[in-house]
Amino acid sequence: MPELGRAALLVTLGLSLYALVAGATAAHLGRRRLARSAQNALVASFATTAVAAVVLLAALLRNDFSFTYVARSTSEALPTAYTISAFWGGQEGSLLLWLLVLTGFGAAAVSLNRSWARDLIVWVVPVFAAVSTFFAFLVVVVASPFASQAAPADGAGMTPSLQNPYMLAHPPLLYLGYVGLTVPFAFAIGALLSRKLDERWLIATRRWTLFAWAALGIGQLLGSHWAYVEVGWGGYYAWDPVENAALMPWLAATAFLHSVMIQEKRGMLRVWNVLLVILAFSLSLFGTFLTRSGVVNSIHSFTQSSIGPWFLAFIAVVVAVSLGLVLSRLPQLRSPTKLESAISREAAFLYNNLLLLALCLAILWGVVYPMLSEAVRGEAIVLGRSYYDFFLRAFGLPLLLLMGIGPLVAWRRASLASLATTFRWPTGVAVVTGVLLLLLGAGSSIPGLVAYTFAAFVLATIVMEFARGTRARKALGAASWPSAFGSLISRNRRRYGGYVVHAAIVMLAIGVAGSSAFDSVAEAKLARGDSLRIGDYTLVYRSLDERASANATEIRATLDVRRGDRELGTVEAGKNAYTIEDQVSNEVGIRSDKLTGEDLFVIAEQIDPDGSIYFRVFVKPLVNLIWLAGLVFLVGSLITLWPDRREQRRLVARASEVGIPATR
Amino acid sequence: MTLALVLAAALAVACVVAVALPFIREPEPESDELDDLDDAERHRLALLEERDRALAALKELEFEHRTGTVSDEDYRAQLGPLRRDVASALQALSRDQEEGRPDDARN
Amino acid sequence: MARNASPARLVIALSVAGVLAVFLLYTSIAGGGNPSLAPSELAGRTGDVQLAGLVVGPVRGDAHAGGLRFKLKDISGDSRTTVAVLYSGSVPDLFKVGRHIVVDGELQQGRFVAQPGSMITKCPSKYAPKQSGDSA
């Protein structure tokens, strides 16, 4: 049935093109039925893309190797779950997934939008359609998932390193994030085109942006966890260009998320906001270009294909048109409100923007530097991890501190006296923590110590805010402390959900600082019975076993773990040898200490025929805080995303006061 | 193979219908003008937003004072200007409402 | 009305200056990065470089005892130059003859001595993350 898939995608391309042309014409000339028709086309393009997606999924599930894509990425023996993940495991399928999510979001954004925002939609449709036309063009002309062939007896199988549950969650989540950024971008461009430059487009897209940002964040954390437990080199982030490809738009989106609050409340930073959303969207396109084009030396790559130049061209067009539009609307974008004081919440958000942007651009520079130096000097110069670590500290540590300061500075103008009062307690907590840690030996890494101290400061401010807020609600007449707490959060979802997210970021910072600044490593070649000491752990290599699984032979070494004189059980580390794919994968052994969040990380690097093994062992303090932070991040994001009926009623009331019809 | 072609054709037809639907439903409409806000309505909307923003700022000041983020001094200093903002927003709105009621024509 | 210069301009200017100062500080301390070369470009180069190439057998030795020895040749192009590499440290699982790898190190007396643990392998046809080396 590849013909059905191809036909469906061709119809998608046609519909997107129609939505683009008809939508733009309708918006420009003010034609209602044409606008509606373009909107229908956008929604229909989701249906046709879904048909194509179902065709590919069905082909995968019934192992139809007449589809070249299916034969290349799966085999008969591959477990069903991984067969499903093969959908997005390669170039063509992942582009189809992108298009599916894109058209889905487009259909949802124009159909589900609230009555009070309907007048914004007319320009959003053609902008969205422009993006989906590009991706539809790619899957129809350049990289079709529906190429067919004479079916071979069996497929080529899937790379062992992709055969794990992470492959089911990590790419789709990232795509929800990347593609989700298209919605605020489309609304922003729509606002610029229609000259409706007030805050309504921000409010209309707020939850979309939050959702995309949260998905991108969690997707990245999942990717890091995958790298940590499955790839198993002892780390979770390598500043690989493809990892950075997701981090950069996330940082830009973080700046955007914060900066829009200033525009909503004070009408300021309008130019910043349109530029930030354009940057976030462009970076998400650039990110996927990096991943797919093979243009940088990276451990993740798709086949070298002709897709790179198309992406570059599209990104160039997007950036040029967007910036041109911003320039032409600049006079109207200037806000009447001015920054009153360098010490104010507005200023804090401005510093926040600057730091996040600086970090994002520093990473971007590191990623493109090899390409630029090759073009200019004929030689690709690669910047190593020390470059990224430096800037992460230079900009990340002040950002960490700002997370605690920003929410507590007054609007417009804060007096130093009031700052001193507000921050007295958190500063005290931070200083005491810093001194204690110094005494416990944390001075071995100054950036680590600084990170811990700042983290303590921010946590103290968050606890303080929750405590004071609950007390205030109790004083207002809440029935009990728990209900005061509950009503505090439900009435101020953005603020307190945001605090929970900040707490998650603090936990992340502590986990990263602990596991990278204060970790230790030991290596040795052990024969059976030999032991290895690291920190206060002793490991004894006991036995080596071999067992067979569905598609691999698993070799595992068992080690006894002891700390001091306490037996802590065993840990297994070894390798899997995959038969069909003829590849070996590393299977690390991790023993997590529930109390301290510390990990004992064991790699069996080399297994010799006589049974002696070269082991590499890490002790990673606090690393599990990173994964816990992911859960807290999810909770915080959900709180901020949760629909707020009071706010909704207000928006609808406002619209009806003006006379925006509820239906159209 | 033929099944694929039939399904594809059906899909294409359905899409054409979906796209043509607005024109099929209303072959000769009273007005094909895009229901957009005119200047008066847009002005009113801006005033409403200004009022809501001023009210929200006042509410936030109260909240932050109650939780202790804003000191008594700063609270007193900011209360006056914010209240004036709300007052002027309400005044501008009522002036606009007296001058004309653009929404009457709709209902 | 007295003309008050908006602090915003000053704030932004100082902050941008601060950020640029940080960049300048870094480049003055750490300098640039390492050139990424193909084996055919390596001859005569001194200092730390990154070598990217295709693994050519035979592969001998033990990476954890004395060092792994193999050759690298250009990934693309017609050059038949090969470079002998001595590597010690963690070897990624995907390493084998015919793989693309990237390794940091220095040319010493005609042989490329790699920095321990700096090898990164690249699976050429699929989306396959794999890396050895220092912890993150």
Side-chain angles (χ1 to χ4, degrees), chain B residues 47 50-52 54 84-94:
Chain B
L47 290 177
E50 190 49 52
R51 173 201 69 185
D52 286 345
R84 273 195 291 278
D85 285 346
V86 173
S88 61
L90 287 172
Q91 265 171 17
L93 198 55
S94 65

Side-chain angles (χ1 to χ4, degrees), chain A residues 7 94 111 151 167 176 207 222 252 465 502 545 559 561 568 572 605 642:
Chain A
S94 64
S111 319
M167 194 53 191
L176 285 176
R207 285 199 165 73
L222 269 178
E465 276 289 90
H502 280 184
D545 304 293
L559 299 100
V561 181
L568 293 178
E572 281 188 2
E605 288 214 340
W642 211 256

Side-chain angles (χ1 to χ4, degrees), chain C residues 45-106:
Chain C
R45 294 296 294 249
T46 53
D48 282 323
V49 298
Q50 189 187 76
L51 192 61
L54 194 75
V55 178
V56 173
V59 178
R60 291 206 189 86
D62 183 338
H64 293 297
L68 196 67
R69 290 187 292 281
F70 54 91
K71 289 194 166 61
L72 283 180
K73 83 176 220 287
D74 281 11
I75 293 174
S76 55
D78 303 321
S79 170
R80 327 235 357 260
T81 321
T82 59
V83 171
V85 178
L86 178 67
Y87 179 83
S88 56
S90 312
V91 178
D93 301 318
L94 287 176
F95 175 82
K96 68 182 191 195
V97 173
R99 283 265 187 267
H100 300 181
I101 67 160
V102 167
V103 64
D104 295 331
E106 177 168 45

Side-chain angles (χ1 to χ4, degrees), chain A residues 446-625:
Chain A
I446 298 297
L449 181 62
V450 171
Y452 283 160
T453 315
F454 285 0
F457 175 82
V458 180
L459 276 177
T461 62
I462 295 175
V463 167
M464 191 170 81
E465 276 289 90
F466 271 104
R468 297 200 306 197
T470 310
R471 198 167 52 206
R473 280 225 66 81
K474 187 82 174 41
L476 277 174
S480 62
W481 288 103
S483 75
F485 186 74
S487 71
L488 176 72
I489 298 179
S490 79
R491 287 175 146 260
N492 298 281
R493 272 175 250 238
R494 284 174 79 193
R495 180 190 288 249
Y496 288 92
Y499 286 158
V500 175
V501 172
H502 280 184
I505 303 294
V506 170
M507 288 169 66
L508 182 72
I510 298 175
V512 169
S515 56
S516 59
F518 298 105
D519 63 341
S520 41
V521 58
E523 28 190 278
K525 185 167 183 151
L526 301 182
R528 284 190 195 76
D530 287 348
S531 66
L532 176 86
R533 294 200 52 191
I534 178 169
D536 44 1
Y537 290 95
T538 309
L539 292 96
V540 182
Y541 170 28
R542 286 279 170 235
S543 61
L544 186 63
D545 304 293
E546 208 173 286
R547 46 180 189 255
S549 81
N551 52 349
T553 313
E554 300 181 355
I555 306 164
R556 295 285 182 275
T558 311
L559 299 100
D560 285 343
V561 181
R562 205 166 65 225
R563 191 199 282 149
D565 51 0
R566 274 191 59 211
E567 296 293 333
L568 293 178
T570 59
V571 70
E572 281 188 2
K575 295 188 190 286
N576 286 357
Y578 292 88
T579 21
I580 300 182
E581 297 84 359
D582 185 32
Q583 269 177 36
V584 175
S585 78
N586 209 351
E587 301 298 318
V588 300
I590 304 179
R591 190 202 165 269
S592 306
D593 186 322
K594 302 277 189 305
L595 212 58
T596 61
E598 181 173 270
D599 267 0
L600 182 66
F601 193 94
V602 181
I603 311 176
E605 288 214 340
Q606 194 169 296
I607 303 177
D608 288 339
D610 63 354
S612 63
I613 302 183
Y614 192 89
F615 284 106
R616 193 153 202 248
V617 184
F618 293 93
V619 172
K620 299 232 161 229
L622 296 170
V623 70
N624 288 295
L625 265 182

Side-chain angles (χ1 to χ4, degrees), chain A residues 218 497 500-501 504 629-642:
Chain A
I218 295 177
V500 175
V501 172
L631 288 170
V632 178
F633 181 86
L634 183 61
V635 170
S637 304
L638 281 174
I639 296 176
T640 52
L641 273 169
W642 211 256

